[in-house]
Amino acid sequence: MRDTGRHHVIIGDGATAAAFAETAPSEAGDRLSVIGPDIGQLGRGLAYGEVPADRPWADAYLLNSPSAAVLPEFADWMAARWDEVTERMRGRRPDWLSFGADHIAAADHAALFAPRAIFGDYLTGLVQAALDRHRASGVAVELIMGRAATLDRDGAEFVIGLDNGQRIRADRVDLAPGTPALDGLGSDAGPCAFPMLYGHEDEIAAQVRPGRTILCLGANAAMLDVLRFLQSVLDEGDIRLSVLSASTLRPEPLIWQRPRKPAVEPEIAGSFDTCADLMAAVDAEIARFRTKGADMAQLRPGFKAWMTHETLAALLPDLAERQAVPPLLERRFRRGSHDSIADYRRLRIAGQVTETMGRAEAVAPATDGATVRVAGQNSLTAPLVINCSGPGTRLALDDLSTELLHRGWLSLTPDGAGVITGPDLAAGPAGLRYLTPAVMQIGERVMPFPLYDLGVLRTEAARANGA
Ligand SMILES: Cc1cc2nc3c(=O)[nH]c(=O)nc-3n(C[C@H](O)[C@H](O)[C@H](O)COP(=O)(O)OP(=O)(O)OC[C@H]3O[C@@H](n4cnc5c(N)ncnc54)[C@H](O)[C@@H]3O)c2cc1C
């Protein structure tokens, strides 16, 4: 077999690593290796993980957008397997099939907020098919179970050190270590506090009781997943959820009607001196569309399609001002699963969900649960505390990313909330590329919306691969 001596290594086993692998440029005789702790599930990562079917919360967590808004082809894939999906979801709590009955009756599967685990099935299928294509064209593909602990340069090559001591040499490396850690709240606060929901479900389920209050720190999509989790393990009347949030903003669902309403077409022109000025214009434009009856299903796609990096650069010529835009824009267009937002609102009206304004500062063990210190207010104590806040401006990157920052191969935006790569995702020496949801700027291109969006991550990976 031909051997070109070229070795392309992809570090990570989530959806971004899979996207890199799918379109990796290669020719017969090349080697392509992908490294991850759960490499048999390449493509799923943190968001689209498979939960054993005997767990009540298997398939409970949903995509944050209608299926076709995440990836249009996914809706077709799901429609083609609709009988299997129905069988799998029958009898599940909460009752996803009943919530989507209207769309299902109209065979409008594109409008459903699909279970993320099912979306993960789709992603793993995509990447496996692509790896088969690489193999068929003569590329030696290897999937390596493990975690890359070190990444160094040795002459013209990279040397990757795995956590099992193995060393791998490569001339090209794509690093996709994924979603930054949450800010660690609750990680050292005893058995009743959890730094996040995902991966802790068994422990949390063991402590959940009818009527026992669960306090969520943060009111984002992860909090809505906590609600779905509780709906799967408790009778709904027994749920007591308390939410501590520094903001009154809540995600809004993208509800697709039939026929679809067209996305809005923003008309903001000119050039602005500051990010604040631009945001004021965006707010005025949102208000104008809202008075005409637009909701998030028309607002978000309209603004996303319009606000390309070129548009942003023209509107806001100052780079430092531009770099402040992504989190502010995202806040205005936050979306979440229709199903869980509807349930959240219903349970809030019923008094089973309560909200407190405030910013959590620290979590400590208490005799009857865990106590949360809240900035400028009395502390809150609850039998169970789950951290649902994102990393925010306290970006908690993994060790490899942090090391790359120290070496100057990557940098941070001035507010520290996002990562900057070189053009085409380059990071430091030629041959190394980097892509995670925390990337906010690629070369001169400031991403108007953050990359916590699979469609955009896939587009950027494919673009860097020249696909
Ligand atoms: C709970 C949740 C729900 C989401 N829902 C949606 C949604 O509905 N729609 C949407 O568009 N986006 C959603 N997102 C955004 C999501 O971040 C992206 O869609 C995408 O899944 C990110 O994939 P990733 O591979 O970059 O990161 P991750 O999913 O975090 O995967 C990275 C993987 O790399 C592995 N890894 C890390 N370091 C190393 C190392 N040193 N060596 C080897 N492997 C390593 C990790 O173990 C992990 O499995 C969601 C995110 C989360 C967290």
Side-chain angles (χ1 to χ4, degrees), residues 11-18 35-38 43-48 62-65 70 116 119 146-149 175-180 198 221-222 225 335 398 400 435-437 451-455 457:
I11 300 174
D13 55 15
T16 304
I35 303 170
D38 202 5
R44 292 186 187 275
L46 183 60
Y48 314 115
L62 306 180
L63 290 174
N64 59 17
S65 307
V70 182
R116 294 207 300 270
F119 185 61
R147 189 170 277 278
L175 181 55
T179 320
Y198 314 110
D225 279 349
R335 80 283 202 213
D398 60 283
L400 275 185
L435 181 60
T436 71
L451 297 190
Y452 289 81
D453 180 321
L454 185 60
L457 286 167

CSV table of all heavy atoms in Angstrom, one decimal, residues 11-18 35-38 43-48 62-65 70 116 119 146-149 175-180 198 221-222 225 335 398 400 435-437 451-455 457, ligand 1:
chain,number,residue,atom,x,y,z
A,11,ILE,N,-7.9,16.0,17.0
A,11,ILE,CA,-8.1,15.8,18.5
A,11,ILE,C,-9.5,16.3,18.9
A,11,ILE,O,-9.8,17.4,18.7
A,11,ILE,CB,-7.0,16.6,19.2
A,11,ILE,CG1,-5.6,16.2,18.8
A,11,ILE,CG2,-7.2,16.4,20.7
A,11,ILE,CD1,-4.5,17.0,19.5
A,12,GLY,N,-10.2,15.3,19.4
A,12,GLY,CA,-11.6,15.6,19.8
A,12,GLY,C,-12.5,14.6,19.2
A,12,GLY,O,-12.2,14.0,18.2
A,13,ASP,N,-13.6,14.3,19.9
A,13,ASP,CA,-14.6,13.3,19.4
A,13,ASP,C,-16.0,13.9,19.3
A,13,ASP,O,-17.0,13.2,19.2
A,13,ASP,CB,-14.6,12.0,20.2
A,13,ASP,CG,-14.8,12.3,21.7
A,13,ASP,OD1,-15.3,13.4,22.0
A,13,ASP,OD2,-14.5,11.4,22.5
A,14,GLY,N,-16.1,15.2,19.3
A,14,GLY,CA,-17.4,15.8,19.2
A,14,GLY,C,-17.8,16.2,17.8
A,14,GLY,O,-17.2,15.7,16.8
A,15,ALA,N,-18.8,17.0,17.6
A,15,ALA,CA,-19.4,17.3,16.3
A,15,ALA,C,-18.4,18.1,15.5
A,15,ALA,O,-18.3,18.0,14.2
A,15,ALA,CB,-20.7,18.1,16.4
A,16,THR,N,-17.5,18.9,16.1
A,16,THR,CA,-16.6,19.7,15.3
A,16,THR,C,-15.4,18.8,14.8
A,16,THR,O,-15.0,18.9,13.6
A,16,THR,CB,-16.0,20.8,16.2
A,16,THR,OG1,-17.1,21.6,16.7
A,16,THR,CG2,-15.0,21.7,15.4
A,17,ALA,N,-14.9,17.9,15.7
A,17,ALA,CA,-13.9,17.0,15.2
A,17,ALA,C,-14.5,16.2,14.0
A,17,ALA,O,-13.8,15.9,13.0
A,17,ALA,CB,-13.5,16.1,16.4
A,18,ALA,N,-15.7,15.7,14.2
A,18,ALA,CA,-16.3,14.9,13.1
A,18,ALA,C,-16.4,15.7,11.8
A,18,ALA,O,-16.1,15.2,10.7
A,18,ALA,CB,-17.7,14.5,13.5
A,35,ILE,N,-8.6,11.3,17.7
A,35,ILE,CA,-8.4,10.9,19.0
A,35,ILE,C,-9.5,11.5,19.9
A,35,ILE,O,-9.8,12.7,19.9
A,35,ILE,CB,-7.0,11.5,19.5
A,35,ILE,CG1,-5.9,11.1,18.6
A,35,ILE,CG2,-6.8,11.1,21.0
A,35,ILE,CD1,-4.6,11.8,18.9
A,36,GLY,N,-10.1,10.6,20.8
A,36,GLY,CA,-11.1,11.1,21.7
A,36,GLY,C,-11.4,10.1,22.8
A,36,GLY,O,-11.2,8.9,22.6
A,37,PRO,N,-11.8,10.6,24.0
A,37,PRO,CA,-12.1,9.6,25.0
A,37,PRO,C,-13.3,8.7,24.7
A,37,PRO,O,-13.4,7.6,25.3
A,37,PRO,CB,-12.4,10.5,26.2
A,37,PRO,CG,-12.7,11.9,25.7
A,37,PRO,CD,-12.0,12.0,24.4
A,38,ASP,N,-14.2,9.2,23.9
A,38,ASP,CA,-15.3,8.3,23.5
A,38,ASP,C,-15.4,8.2,22.0
A,38,ASP,O,-16.4,8.5,21.4
A,38,ASP,CB,-16.6,9.1,24.1
A,38,ASP,CG,-17.7,8.1,24.3
A,38,ASP,OD1,-17.5,6.9,24.1
A,38,ASP,OD2,-18.9,8.6,24.6
A,43,GLY,N,-18.6,12.3,16.9
A,43,GLY,CA,-19.7,13.1,16.4
A,43,GLY,C,-20.6,13.6,17.4
A,43,GLY,O,-21.3,14.6,17.3
A,44,ARG,N,-20.7,12.9,18.5
A,44,ARG,CA,-21.7,13.3,19.5
A,44,ARG,C,-21.2,14.4,20.5
A,44,ARG,O,-21.9,15.4,20.7
A,44,ARG,CB,-22.2,12.0,20.4
A,44,ARG,CG,-22.9,11.0,19.6
A,44,ARG,CD,-23.4,9.9,20.5
A,44,ARG,NE,-24.0,8.8,19.8
A,44,ARG,CZ,-25.3,8.8,19.4
A,44,ARG,NH1,-26.1,9.8,19.7
A,44,ARG,NH2,-25.7,7.7,18.8
A,45,GLY,N,-20.1,14.1,21.1
A,45,GLY,CA,-19.5,15.1,22.0
A,45,GLY,C,-20.5,15.3,23.2
A,45,GLY,O,-21.3,14.4,23.6
A,46,LEU,N,-20.4,16.5,23.8
A,46,LEU,CA,-21.2,16.8,25.0
A,46,LEU,C,-22.7,17.0,24.7
A,46,LEU,O,-23.5,16.6,25.5
A,46,LEU,CB,-20.6,18.1,25.6
A,46,LEU,CG,-21.2,18.6,26.9
A,46,LEU,CD1,-21.1,17.6,28.0
A,46,LEU,CD2,-20.6,19.9,27.3
A,47,ALA,N,-23.0,17.5,23.5
A,47,ALA,CA,-24.4,17.9,23.3
A,47,ALA,C,-25.3,16.8,22.8
A,47,ALA,O,-26.5,16.8,23.1
A,47,ALA,CB,-24.4,19.0,22.3
A,48,TYR,N,-24.7,15.8,22.1
A,48,TYR,CA,-25.6,14.8,21.4
A,48,TYR,C,-25.3,13.4,21.8
A,48,TYR,O,-25.5,12.5,21.1
A,48,TYR,CB,-25.4,15.0,19.9
A,48,TYR,CG,-25.4,16.4,19.4
A,48,TYR,CD1,-24.3,17.1,18.9
A,48,TYR,CD2,-26.6,17.2,19.6
A,48,TYR,CE1,-24.3,18.4,18.5
A,48,TYR,CE2,-26.6,18.6,19.3
A,48,TYR,CZ,-25.5,19.2,18.8
A,48,TYR,OH,-25.5,20.5,18.4
A,62,LEU,N,-33.6,18.1,24.0
A,62,LEU,CA,-34.0,18.4,22.7
A,62,LEU,C,-33.1,19.4,22.0
A,62,LEU,O,-32.4,20.2,22.7
A,62,LEU,CB,-35.4,18.9,22.6
A,62,LEU,CG,-36.5,18.1,23.3
A,62,LEU,CD1,-37.8,18.7,23.2
A,62,LEU,CD2,-36.5,16.7,22.7
A,63,LEU,N,-33.1,19.4,20.7
A,63,LEU,CA,-32.3,20.5,20.0
A,63,LEU,C,-32.9,21.8,20.3
A,63,LEU,O,-34.1,21.9,20.7
A,63,LEU,CB,-32.5,20.3,18.5
A,63,LEU,CG,-31.7,19.1,17.9
A,63,LEU,CD1,-32.0,18.9,16.4
A,63,LEU,CD2,-30.2,19.2,18.1
A,64,ASN,N,-32.1,22.9,20.2
A,64,ASN,CA,-32.6,24.2,20.6
A,64,ASN,C,-33.3,24.9,19.4
A,64,ASN,O,-33.8,26.0,19.6
A,64,ASN,CB,-31.5,25.1,21.1
A,64,ASN,CG,-30.4,25.2,20.0
A,64,ASN,OD1,-30.6,25.0,18.9
A,64,ASN,ND2,-29.2,25.7,20.5
A,65,SER,N,-33.5,24.2,18.3
A,65,SER,CA,-34.1,24.8,17.1
A,65,SER,C,-34.8,23.7,16.4
A,65,SER,O,-34.5,22.5,16.6
A,65,SER,CB,-33.0,25.4,16.2
A,65,SER,OG,-32.2,26.3,16.8
A,70,VAL,N,-31.3,23.4,12.4
A,70,VAL,CA,-30.0,22.9,12.8
A,70,VAL,C,-29.2,22.4,11.6
A,70,VAL,O,-28.2,23.0,11.3
A,70,VAL,CB,-30.1,21.9,13.9
A,70,VAL,CG1,-28.7,21.5,14.4
A,70,VAL,CG2,-30.9,22.4,15.1
A,116,ARG,N,-31.9,15.3,21.1
A,116,ARG,CA,-30.4,15.5,20.7
A,116,ARG,C,-29.7,14.2,20.5
A,116,ARG,O,-28.8,14.1,19.7
A,116,ARG,CB,-29.7,16.4,21.7
A,116,ARG,CG,-30.2,17.8,21.8
A,116,ARG,CD,-29.1,18.8,22.2
A,116,ARG,NE,-28.6,18.5,23.5
A,116,ARG,CZ,-29.1,19.0,24.7
A,116,ARG,NH1,-30.1,19.8,24.7
A,116,ARG,NH2,-28.6,18.7,25.8
A,119,PHE,N,-30.4,13.2,17.0
A,119,PHE,CA,-29.5,14.0,16.1
A,119,PHE,C,-28.1,13.4,16.2
A,119,PHE,O,-27.4,13.4,15.2
A,119,PHE,CB,-29.5,15.4,16.6
A,119,PHE,CG,-28.8,16.4,15.7
A,119,PHE,CD1,-29.1,16.5,14.4
A,119,PHE,CD2,-27.7,17.1,16.2
A,119,PHE,CE1,-28.4,17.4,13.6
A,119,PHE,CE2,-27.0,18.0,15.4
A,119,PHE,CZ,-27.4,18.1,14.1
A,146,GLY,N,-8.7,7.9,23.7
A,146,GLY,CA,-7.8,8.5,24.6
A,146,GLY,C,-7.9,10.0,24.6
A,146,GLY,O,-8.8,10.6,23.9
A,147,ARG,N,-7.1,10.7,25.4
A,147,ARG,CA,-7.2,12.1,25.5
A,147,ARG,C,-5.8,12.7,25.2
A,147,ARG,O,-4.8,12.2,25.8
A,147,ARG,CB,-7.7,12.5,26.9
A,147,ARG,CG,-8.0,13.9,27.2
A,147,ARG,CD,-8.6,14.1,28.5
A,147,ARG,NE,-10.1,13.8,28.5
A,147,ARG,CZ,-11.0,14.7,28.1
A,147,ARG,NH1,-10.6,15.9,27.7
A,147,ARG,NH2,-12.2,14.4,28.1
A,148,ALA,N,-5.7,13.7,24.4
A,148,ALA,CA,-4.4,14.3,24.1
A,148,ALA,C,-4.1,15.2,25.3
A,148,ALA,O,-4.8,16.1,25.7
A,148,ALA,CB,-4.5,15.1,22.9
A,149,ALA,N,-2.9,14.9,25.9
A,149,ALA,CA,-2.5,15.6,27.1
A,149,ALA,C,-1.6,16.8,26.8
A,149,ALA,O,-1.5,17.8,27.4
A,149,ALA,CB,-1.9,14.7,28.2
A,175,LEU,N,-7.4,20.7,16.2
A,175,LEU,CA,-7.7,20.6,17.6
A,175,LEU,C,-9.2,21.1,17.8
A,175,LEU,O,-9.5,22.2,17.5
A,175,LEU,CB,-6.7,21.5,18.5
A,175,LEU,CG,-6.9,21.5,20.0
A,175,LEU,CD1,-6.9,20.1,20.5
A,175,LEU,CD2,-5.8,22.3,20.6
A,176,ALA,N,-10.0,20.2,18.3
A,176,ALA,CA,-11.4,20.5,18.5
A,176,ALA,C,-11.9,20.0,19.9
A,176,ALA,O,-12.7,19.1,20.0
A,176,ALA,CB,-12.3,19.9,17.4
A,177,PRO,N,-11.3,20.6,20.9
A,177,PRO,CA,-11.6,20.1,22.3
A,177,PRO,C,-12.9,20.5,22.9
A,177,PRO,O,-13.3,20.1,24.0
A,177,PRO,CB,-10.4,20.7,23.1
A,177,PRO,CG,-10.1,22.0,22.4
A,177,PRO,CD,-10.4,21.8,21.0
A,178,GLY,N,-13.7,21.4,22.1
A,178,GLY,CA,-15.1,21.5,22.5
A,178,GLY,C,-15.5,22.6,23.4
A,178,GLY,O,-14.7,23.6,23.7
A,179,THR,N,-16.7,22.5,23.9
A,179,THR,CA,-17.3,23.4,24.7
A,179,THR,C,-16.5,23.8,26.0
A,179,THR,O,-16.1,22.9,26.7
A,179,THR,CB,-18.7,22.8,25.2
A,179,THR,OG1,-19.2,22.1,24.1
A,179,THR,CG2,-19.6,23.8,25.7
A,180,PRO,N,-16.2,25.0,26.2
A,180,PRO,CA,-15.5,25.4,27.4
A,180,PRO,C,-16.2,24.9,28.7
A,180,PRO,O,-17.5,24.8,28.6
A,180,PRO,CB,-15.4,26.9,27.4
A,180,PRO,CG,-15.8,27.3,26.1
A,180,PRO,CD,-16.7,26.2,25.5
A,198,TYR,N,-25.1,17.3,32.8
A,198,TYR,CA,-24.7,16.2,31.9
A,198,TYR,C,-23.7,15.3,32.6
A,198,TYR,O,-22.7,15.8,33.1
A,198,TYR,CB,-24.3,16.8,30.6
A,198,TYR,CG,-25.2,17.8,30.1
A,198,TYR,CD1,-24.8,19.2,30.1
A,198,TYR,CD2,-26.5,17.5,29.7
A,198,TYR,CE1,-25.7,20.2,29.7
A,198,TYR,CE2,-27.4,18.5,29.3
A,198,TYR,CZ,-27.0,19.8,29.3
A,198,TYR,OH,-27.9,20.8,28.9
A,221,ALA,N,-30.2,27.2,28.3
A,221,ALA,CA,-30.7,26.0,27.7
A,221,ALA,C,-30.5,24.8,28.7
A,221,ALA,O,-31.3,23.8,28.7
A,221,ALA,CB,-30.1,25.7,26.4
A,222,ALA,N,-29.4,24.8,29.4
A,222,ALA,CA,-29.1,23.7,30.3
A,222,ALA,C,-30.1,23.7,31.4
A,222,ALA,O,-30.5,22.6,31.9
A,222,ALA,CB,-27.7,23.9,30.9
A,225,ASP,N,-32.9,21.9,30.2
A,225,ASP,CA,-32.7,20.4,30.2
A,225,ASP,C,-32.9,19.8,31.6
A,225,ASP,O,-33.3,18.7,31.7
A,225,ASP,CB,-31.2,20.1,29.8
A,225,ASP,CG,-31.1,20.2,28.2
A,225,ASP,OD1,-32.1,20.2,27.5
A,225,ASP,OD2,-29.9,20.2,27.8
A,335,ARG,N,-32.4,31.4,21.6
A,335,ARG,CA,-33.5,30.5,21.2
A,335,ARG,C,-33.4,29.2,22.1
A,335,ARG,O,-32.3,28.9,22.7
A,335,ARG,CB,-33.5,30.1,19.8
A,335,ARG,CG,-32.5,29.0,19.3
A,335,ARG,CD,-31.1,29.6,19.2
A,335,ARG,NE,-30.3,28.7,18.3
A,335,ARG,CZ,-29.0,28.5,18.4
A,335,ARG,NH1,-28.4,29.0,19.5
A,335,ARG,NH2,-28.4,27.8,17.6
A,398,ASP,N,-10.1,24.3,28.2
A,398,ASP,CA,-9.3,23.1,28.6
A,398,ASP,C,-7.8,23.3,28.6
A,398,ASP,O,-7.4,24.4,28.1
A,398,ASP,CB,-9.7,22.0,27.6
A,398,ASP,CG,-9.3,22.4,26.2
A,398,ASP,OD1,-10.0,23.3,25.6
A,398,ASP,OD2,-8.2,22.0,25.7
A,400,LEU,N,-5.3,22.1,27.0
A,400,LEU,CA,-4.5,22.2,25.7
A,400,LEU,C,-4.8,23.6,25.1
A,400,LEU,O,-3.8,24.3,24.7
A,400,LEU,CB,-5.0,21.2,24.7
A,400,LEU,CG,-4.3,19.8,24.7
A,400,LEU,CD1,-4.8,19.0,23.5
A,400,LEU,CD2,-2.8,20.0,24.7
A,435,LEU,N,-10.7,24.8,16.3
A,435,LEU,CA,-12.1,25.3,16.2
A,435,LEU,C,-12.9,24.7,17.4
A,435,LEU,O,-12.9,23.5,17.6
A,435,LEU,CB,-12.7,24.8,14.9
A,435,LEU,CG,-14.2,25.2,14.7
A,435,LEU,CD1,-14.3,26.7,14.6
A,435,LEU,CD2,-14.7,24.6,13.4
A,436,THR,N,-13.5,25.6,18.1
A,436,THR,CA,-14.4,25.2,19.2
A,436,THR,C,-15.5,26.3,19.2
A,436,THR,O,-15.4,27.3,18.5
A,436,THR,CB,-13.7,25.3,20.6
A,436,THR,OG1,-13.5,26.7,21.0
A,436,THR,CG2,-12.4,24.5,20.7
A,437,PRO,N,-16.6,26.0,19.9
A,437,PRO,CA,-17.7,27.0,20.0
A,437,PRO,C,-17.2,28.3,20.6
A,437,PRO,O,-17.9,29.3,20.4
A,437,PRO,CB,-18.7,26.3,20.9
A,437,PRO,CG,-18.4,24.9,20.8
A,437,PRO,CD,-17.0,24.7,20.6
A,451,LEU,N,-20.3,30.8,18.0
A,451,LEU,CA,-20.3,29.5,17.3
A,451,LEU,C,-21.0,28.4,18.1
A,451,LEU,O,-20.7,27.2,17.8
A,451,LEU,CB,-18.9,29.1,16.9
A,451,LEU,CG,-18.2,30.1,15.9
A,451,LEU,CD1,-16.9,29.5,15.4
A,451,LEU,CD2,-19.1,30.5,14.8
A,452,TYR,N,-21.8,28.7,19.0
A,452,TYR,CA,-22.5,27.6,19.7
A,452,TYR,C,-23.7,27.2,18.8
A,452,TYR,O,-24.8,27.2,19.2
A,452,TYR,CB,-23.0,28.0,21.1
A,452,TYR,CG,-21.9,28.2,22.1
A,452,TYR,CD1,-21.1,29.4,22.1
A,452,TYR,CD2,-21.6,27.2,23.0
A,452,TYR,CE1,-20.1,29.5,23.0
A,452,TYR,CE2,-20.5,27.3,23.9
A,452,TYR,CZ,-19.8,28.5,23.9
A,452,TYR,OH,-18.7,28.6,24.7
A,453,ASP,N,-23.3,26.8,17.7
A,453,ASP,CA,-24.3,26.6,16.6
A,453,ASP,C,-23.6,25.6,15.6
A,453,ASP,O,-22.6,25.9,14.9
A,453,ASP,CB,-24.5,27.9,15.9
A,453,ASP,CG,-25.5,27.8,14.8
A,453,ASP,OD1,-25.5,26.8,14.0
A,453,ASP,OD2,-26.3,28.8,14.6
A,454,LEU,N,-24.2,24.4,15.6
A,454,LEU,CA,-23.5,23.3,14.8
A,454,LEU,C,-23.4,23.6,13.3
A,454,LEU,O,-22.4,23.3,12.7
A,454,LEU,CB,-24.3,22.0,15.0
A,454,LEU,CG,-23.5,20.8,14.4
A,454,LEU,CD1,-22.1,20.7,14.9
A,454,LEU,CD2,-24.3,19.6,14.5
A,455,GLY,N,-24.4,24.2,12.8
A,455,GLY,CA,-24.4,24.5,11.3
A,455,GLY,C,-23.2,25.4,11.0
A,455,GLY,O,-22.5,25.1,10.0
A,457,LEU,N,-20.4,25.8,12.9
A,457,LEU,CA,-19.1,25.1,13.1
A,457,LEU,C,-18.8,24.2,11.9
A,457,LEU,O,-17.7,24.1,11.5
A,457,LEU,CB,-19.3,24.2,14.4
A,457,LEU,CG,-19.2,24.9,15.7
A,457,LEU,CD1,-19.7,24.0,16.9
A,457,LEU,CD2,-17.8,25.5,16.0
B,1,LIG,C1,-25.9,20.7,26.2
B,1,LIG,C2,-25.7,21.4,24.9
B,1,LIG,C3,-26.7,21.5,24.0
B,1,LIG,C4,-26.5,22.1,22.7
B,1,LIG,N1,-27.5,22.1,21.8
B,1,LIG,C5,-27.3,22.6,20.6
B,1,LIG,C6,-28.3,22.6,19.6
B,1,LIG,O1,-29.4,22.2,19.9
B,1,LIG,N2,-28.1,23.1,18.4
B,1,LIG,C7,-26.8,23.6,18.1
B,1,LIG,O2,-26.6,24.0,16.9
B,1,LIG,N3,-25.8,23.6,19.0
B,1,LIG,C8,-26.0,23.2,20.2
B,1,LIG,N4,-25.0,23.2,21.1
B,1,LIG,C9,-23.8,23.8,20.8
B,1,LIG,C10,-22.7,22.8,20.6
B,1,LIG,O3,-21.6,23.3,21.3
B,1,LIG,C11,-22.3,22.6,19.2
B,1,LIG,O4,-23.5,22.3,18.4
B,1,LIG,C12,-21.4,21.4,19.0
B,1,LIG,O5,-21.9,20.2,19.5
B,1,LIG,C13,-20.0,21.6,19.6
B,1,LIG,O6,-19.2,20.4,19.3
B,1,LIG,P1,-17.7,20.3,19.7
B,1,LIG,O7,-17.2,19.1,19.1
B,1,LIG,O8,-17.0,21.6,19.3
B,1,LIG,O9,-17.7,20.3,21.2
B,1,LIG,P2,-18.0,19.1,22.3
B,1,LIG,O10,-19.4,18.6,22.0
B,1,LIG,O11,-17.8,19.7,23.6
B,1,LIG,O12,-17.0,17.9,22.0
B,1,LIG,C14,-15.6,18.0,22.2
B,1,LIG,C15,-15.2,16.6,22.5
B,1,LIG,O13,-13.7,16.6,22.5
B,1,LIG,C16,-13.3,15.8,23.6
B,1,LIG,N5,-12.0,16.4,24.0
B,1,LIG,C17,-11.7,17.5,24.7
B,1,LIG,N6,-10.4,17.6,24.9
B,1,LIG,C18,-9.8,16.6,24.4
B,1,LIG,C19,-8.5,16.1,24.3
B,1,LIG,N7,-7.5,16.9,24.8
B,1,LIG,N8,-8.2,15.0,23.6
B,1,LIG,C20,-9.2,14.3,23.0
B,1,LIG,N9,-10.5,14.6,23.1
B,1,LIG,C21,-10.8,15.8,23.8
B,1,LIG,C22,-14.3,16.0,24.6
B,1,LIG,O14,-14.3,14.9,25.5
B,1,LIG,C23,-15.6,16.1,23.8
B,1,LIG,O15,-16.2,14.9,23.7
B,1,LIG,C24,-25.2,22.6,22.4
B,1,LIG,C25,-24.2,22.5,23.3
B,1,LIG,C26,-24.4,21.9,24.6
B,1,LIG,C27,-23.3,21.9,25.5
